DNA sequence: TTTGCGAACAAACAATCGTTCGTATGAGTA
DNA sequence: TACTCATACGAACGATTGTTTGTTCGCAAA
């Protein structure tokens, strides 16, 4: 049970550095001090590794937003919780998040379409929060889609260079991010 | 002279869709209705294509910020011009920008270090504008580096889905982006 | 001790990779 | 007409790709 997780973590590190297509099965094997053929005692295809990584990260995001939506607080509080969670994810597991964000297009076509669908649904739920905020006339008159994408995008740099600027700790970054985004979109 | 540009444009389209390592020379040749060996009448290596694309985009950004810095206007006005330019680039040539942003790490090591250096210098100049803004006490008390990265990152989604939301035209997006970023970072 | 099984291995597979070589074509110039 | 030169091509190269096969090792249960 332990070795499979080590395999995923090792592979994720390589995927992060060189990208999925440029990372060979032999690279992964070498990093684990194994011979290439030995990997196939634990996995069926190379693609399986990428699928697992993406699926795991996607599930975490889905669980998080589901929990936020289940809480009966104001849309503004919901949005704050979502931002906190995104920052926290980039803080706790930057490697997986990077792979998730950069390599998803290399999923095999069947899993790719499922993945795109799941992402759409996630964005739809986030969009629902923004819509509720808009109904209370708290939003600037900018297209919802613009706000959604810009908000998500503005947090995407974190996982690339987090450790360097985490001196202040997670909560400080969460605070800064909330200020930046909320001042940007709220009236 | 025309065919080389067509080659770069065709290759960039493939690099955008499948990524540089997953795009074979045979893919590029087929897309140009040529045989693989024929490409080598126009290029020396596959890497040369990526280098040219990245170099071209980098030069455009460098030229733009150089022009902004040469104008004697307030730091705030300079920052506005920079934002406008970034949006404009994503609007005019989303394909090249995507390749530039996603595939630079696959440059051969020598060109890679040059490229990283150029990017550092670009960010340093941008950071200079922010510092000037800070000296006039116009910035929120958030780390400059945080502001810089978040600002750049927030514009990075544009080139991925621009045409769909450009109904309002370039200037409307520029306007929205300026509002979002400036409200987010200014006091 | 015997049996069973997951884990690791060496060797090899067809397929695809980037690239080279020698050659053919065809348009423009002297 | 003869020559040049950029362009395109077929064929092939060694290297690397993901994966399969048959086998061996060591440990745990019976």
């Amino acid at each position: 049970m332990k070795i499979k997780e080590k395999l995923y973590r090792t592979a994720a590190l390589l995927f992060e550095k060189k990208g999925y297509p440029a990372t060979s099965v032999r690279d992964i094997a070498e990093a684990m001090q194994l011979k290439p053929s030995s990997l196939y005692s634990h996995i069926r295809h190379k693609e399986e590794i990428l699928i697992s990584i993406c699926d795991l990260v996607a599930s975490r995001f889905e669980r998080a937003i589901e929990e936020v939506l289940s809480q009966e607080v104001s849309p503004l509080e919901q949005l704050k919780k979502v931002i906190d969670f995104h920052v926290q994810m980039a803080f706790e597991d930057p490697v997986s998040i990077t792979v998730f964000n950069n390599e998803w297009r290399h999923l095999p076509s069947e899993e790719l379409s499922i993945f795109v669908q799941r992402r759409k649904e996630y964005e739809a739920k986030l969009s629902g929060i923004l819509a509720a905020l808009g109904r209370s006339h708290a939003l600037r008159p900018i297209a919802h889609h613009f706000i959604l994408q810009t908000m998500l995008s503005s947090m995407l740099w974190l996982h690339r260079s987090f450790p360097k600027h985490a001196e202040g700790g997670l909560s400080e970054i969460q605070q800064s991010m909330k200020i930046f985004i909320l001042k940007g979109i709220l009236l």
Side-chain angles (χ1 to χ4, degrees), chain A residues 54-73:
Chain A
C54 289
D55 182 64
L56 229 84
V57 175
S59 297
R60 281 205 266 170
F61 275 103
E62 285 162 357
R63 194 160 3 106
I65 195 153
E66 217 54 65
E67 199 205 317
V68 166
L69 288 178
S70 72
Q71 297 173 10
E72 300 219 350
V73 293

Side-chain angles (χ1 to χ4, degrees), chain A residues 16 83 86-87 89-91 94-95 97-98 101-102 149-167 169 172-174 176-178 180-181:
Chain A
E16 178 198 28
I83 295 174
H86 273 251
V87 177
M89 284 287 282
F91 189 85
V95 176
I97 306 292
T98 303
N101 277 320
N102 297 340
Q149 295 300 330
T150 308
M151 185 182 83
L152 289 176
S153 187
S154 64
M155 293 186 280
L156 272 189
W157 69 276
L158 291 173
H159 57 76
R160 277 182 311 198
S161 55
F162 216 122
K164 198 174 14 168
H165 314 90
E167 306 137 0
E172 185 181 309
I173 311 262
Q174 287 175 325
S176 297
M177 194 55 84
K178 274 183 289 189
F180 176 83
I181 291 178

Side-chain angles (χ1 to χ4, degrees), chain A residues 1 15 18 25 38-39 46 54 64 80 93 101-102 104 108 112 116 119 123 159 161 170 180 185 187:
Chain A
M1 290 297 172
F15 292 166
K18 322 203 307 178
V25 173
S38 307
L39 289 191
K46 180 192 176 190
C54 289
K80 285 181 183 175
D93 196 352
N101 277 320
N102 297 340
W104 58 270
L112 178 63
V116 170
R119 174 163 185 101
E123 289 187 2
H159 57 76
S161 55
L170 169 60
F180 176 83
I185 69 176
L187 277 175

